[in-house]
Amino acid sequence: MPAEQEPDTYQTRCPYCRAICDCDLVDVGVGLVQCGPYHCERCGASEAGSSPEDLARQDPKTGWFRPGEPPSSLANMIDGRLATAEETRGAYRARFAGNPDYDEPGVVEDWYAQQRQPV
């Protein structure tokens, strides 16, 4: 039986199924900074954020959301799935660059809420 792979510096193990999990990182010039939750592609669990909402609904034993629960309200999402910061920035720019809707109250917030919903 092959040895179990060890996670690298920017990975961790899922507290539910033990699969290796990744998170979104951005290069800020002096190193990488985590900008999205660790998430498990195998079972769907994701790391909770630090917002009061996340702290209230996280699994207190793990600090994660259980498989099948929606990710953090702070997580970047496109079409109801976790997305990288780069993907989210691209979708935002495609929708609002040069678009006068940007100045209409609530339009950006509504777009953001729609991105959290599965297609």
Side-chain angles (χ1 to χ4, degrees):
M1 176 171 250
E4 190 172 358
Q5 179 184 356
E6 289 302 314
D8 72 19
T9 304
Y10 301 108
Q11 296 175 319
T12 192
R13 289 214 178 268
C14 175
Y16 300 101
C17 73
R18 305 302 297 156
I20 293 177
C21 300
D22 295 306
C23 66
D24 190 20
L25 302 165
V26 293
D27 187 342
V28 294
V30 294
L32 299 174
V33 174
Q34 182 179 349
C35 65
Y38 281 100
H39 61 281
C40 183
E41 296 289 338
R42 184 188 294 169
C43 75
S46 64
E47 178 184 37
S50 59
S51 73
E53 174 192 324
D54 286 1
L55 295 174
R57 51 179 203 100
Q58 74 181 354
D59 180 343
K61 294 179 184 172
T62 64
W64 283 49
F65 298 123
R66 292 178 179 94
E69 291 184 18
S72 169
S73 61
L74 304 174
N76 290 316
M77 296 184 73
I78 299 290
D79 296 334
R81 64 170 177 74
L82 285 168
T84 66
E86 186 175 305
E87 287 177 291
T88 305
R89 184 174 31 257
Y92 176 85
R93 286 179 177 159
R95 171 66 173 90
F96 292 109
N99 187 333
D101 286 350
Y102 176 83
D103 294 321
E104 293 295 319
V107 171
V108 173
E109 293 80 5
D110 289 347
W111 177 84
Y112 181 76
Q114 289 170 355
Q115 295 309 307
R116 298 191 67 76
Q117 304 303 315
V119 174

